[in-house]
């Protein structure tokens, strides 16, 4: 009997909420009709999109209530109300979701109030009948569950009226996809512009300045060559040093555009080189990727051999190898998935490898500079249709996600979003910080 009363109470509370929404729908429907009349005279055109947004909020409230009662979410599909006023008014009028919300609001106004009053009328006879049946006869309640059935009926009617049609769902999904791609394109353009400015700054402040100094020293050597050959040789030696430094600066700029080590050693070798030179104890785990280089189809020429980073010798007091693999804790590499790396495993496209490389480079740089960590882990995993990258460190955490994060994290998100990938950042205060990236990839 107590369980039946509790269930009937929850159902009555749900029906009371439906009655409250019905009263709001009365105001909403009246406001919608009023703004529609004003919109015909152009006076209320600016109010129409706001009225539609109000109806969407009411419908969203009902969707959440229905999902809470039934345990099944109610999908929604709306076209975004964005842009100038004429475009917003046109979207508000032509969106199938607007008509669906108006029909639901009119229906809620009727069945929401009616079912609430019916539940109130059922309470007194239900308590009397079930008090006798359940209390004296020892049987299950038969009247109180009817109140719960009324709440379920209201939820089913709301679900039927608020569920979008397949065509409306496709249109809304397409609009959301277009909006996402527009934002992604804007981010990619911004990242490209920032990269061009960085390259220009590096060339101007580095290689260009050294080449100017080189030209001046060669000119001075030519002027004093006949009168003072020793001084000319000294100037030429300095010029050679300047040329080597300018070449090193140019190599640095080239590595920032597309690291040659990716072409020479592949993603696995490039990441291991990053781990070895990061200043941290980095465990690298590779699952299902090639461990030996393979030339991409779009790069058929023989690659230029870059300078390879020196590997620290093993021994006491030296930095541990990049293959140090912890077996427990947040830095433990993932062991599930495809087989271990092999020499004949396919490579990801060059753009995907470059994005993964820069993600690892930025994550390890942030860990070394800001986290205070001494250990980190990098996991590269080949998925059926994606390349997954996971970088974790044992630092202090507190890294901010979204556009409020540092410029490195923002650039990382933009670079990944340009390839339609996803970035998940977990960085609670006190650590650990985990960056998980998934890049779509056709193997």
């Amino acid at each position: 009997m107590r369980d039946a009363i509790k269930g009937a109470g929850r159902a009555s509370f749900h029906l009371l909420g439906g009655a409250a929404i019905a009263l709001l729908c009365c105001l909403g429907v009246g406001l919608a009709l009023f703004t529609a009349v004003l919109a015909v005279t152009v006076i209320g055109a600016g109010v129409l999109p706001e009225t539609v947004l109000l109806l969407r909020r009411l419908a969203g409230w009902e969707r959440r209530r229905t999902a809470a009662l039934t345990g099944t979410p109610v999908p929604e599909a709306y076209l975004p109300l964005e842009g100038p006023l004429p475009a917003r008014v046109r979207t508000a009028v032509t969106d199938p979701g607007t008509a669906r919300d108006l029909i639901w609001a009119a229906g809620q106004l009727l069945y929401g109030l009616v079912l609430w009053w019916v539940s109130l009328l059922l309470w007194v006879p239900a308590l009397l009948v079930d008090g006798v049946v359940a209390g004296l006869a020892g049987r299950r309640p038969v009247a109180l569950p009817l109140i719960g059935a009324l709440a379920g009926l209201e939820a089913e009617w709301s679900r039927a009226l608020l569920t979008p049609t397949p065509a409306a769902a496709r249109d809304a999904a397409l609009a959301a996809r277009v909006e996402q791609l527009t934002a992604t394109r804007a981010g990619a353009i911004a990242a490209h512009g920032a990269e061009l400015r960085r390259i220009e700054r590096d060339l101007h402040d580095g290689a260009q300045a050294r080449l100017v100094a080189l030209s001046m020293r060669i000119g001075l050597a030519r002027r004093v060559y006949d009168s003072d050959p020793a001084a000319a040789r000294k100037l030429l030696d300095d010029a050679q040093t300047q040329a080597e430094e300018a070449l090193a600066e140019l190599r640095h700029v080239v590595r920032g555009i597309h690291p040659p080590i990716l072409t020479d050693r592949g993603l696995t070798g490039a990441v291991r080189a990053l781990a070895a030179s990061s200043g941290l104890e980095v465990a690298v785990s590779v699952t299902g990727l090639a461990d030996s280089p393979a030339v991409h189809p779009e790069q058929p020429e023989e690659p230029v051999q870059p300078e390879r980073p020196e590997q620290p010798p093993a021994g006491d007091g030296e930095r541990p190898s990049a293959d140090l693999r912890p077996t427990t804790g947040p830095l433990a590499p993932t062991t599930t998935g495809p087989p271990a790396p092999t020499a004949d495993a396919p490579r990801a496209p060059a753009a995907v490898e470059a994005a993964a490389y820069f993600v690892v480079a930025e994550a390890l740089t942030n860990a070394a500079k800001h986290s205070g960590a001494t250990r980190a882990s990098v996991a590269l995993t080949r998925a059926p249709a994606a390349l997954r990258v996971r970088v974790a460190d044992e630092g202090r955490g507190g890294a901010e996600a979204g556009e409020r994060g540092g410029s490195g994290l923002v650039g990382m998100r933009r670079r990944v979003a340009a390839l339609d990938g996803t970035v998940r950042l977990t960085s609670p205060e006190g650590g650990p910080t985990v960056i998980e990236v998934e890049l779509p990839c056709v193997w």
Side-chain angles (χ1 to χ4, degrees), residues 234-333:
K234 177 65 170 62
L235 290 173
L236 289 175
D237 290 340
D238 293 342
Q240 183 179 5
T241 302
Q242 293 276 348
E244 293 174 353
E245 292 175 351
L247 182 60
E249 291 284 348
L250 288 174
R251 284 175 177 167
H252 175 73
V253 174
V254 169
R255 291 190 185 101
I257 300 172
H258 182 84
I261 194 172
L262 278 176
T263 304
D264 181 45
R265 299 173 58 181
L267 179 61
T268 302
V271 168
R272 292 189 190 279
L274 279 176
S277 60
S278 66
L280 303 173
E281 299 178 8
V282 182
V284 179
S285 170
V286 181
T287 307
L289 297 178
D291 239 356
S292 63
V295 178
H296 282 289
E298 60 267 33
Q299 297 171 338
E301 293 86 0
E302 184 69 20
V304 179
Q305 297 293 331
E307 293 183 355
R308 305 190 181 206
E310 297 181 1
Q311 297 294 334
D316 295 337
E318 298 295 332
R319 186 169 60 236
S321 168
D323 288 322
L324 179 63
R325 302 171 186 261
T327 57
T328 59
L331 302 184

Side-chain angles (χ1 to χ4, degrees), residues 304-383:
V304 179
Q305 297 293 331
E307 293 183 355
R308 305 190 181 206
E310 297 181 1
Q311 297 294 334
D316 295 337
E318 298 295 332
R319 186 169 60 236
S321 168
D323 288 322
L324 179 63
R325 302 171 186 261
T327 57
T328 59
L331 302 184
T334 306
T335 56
T336 60
T342 60
D344 57 349
R347 285 183 61 176
V352 175
E353 283 193 346
Y357 176 86
F358 283 112
V359 164
V360 175
E362 183 63 36
L364 292 181
T365 300
N366 288 344
K369 287 184 176 180
H370 308 299
S371 71
T374 58
R375 298 172 62 243
S377 71
V378 178
L380 304 175
T381 305
R382 174 191 170 190

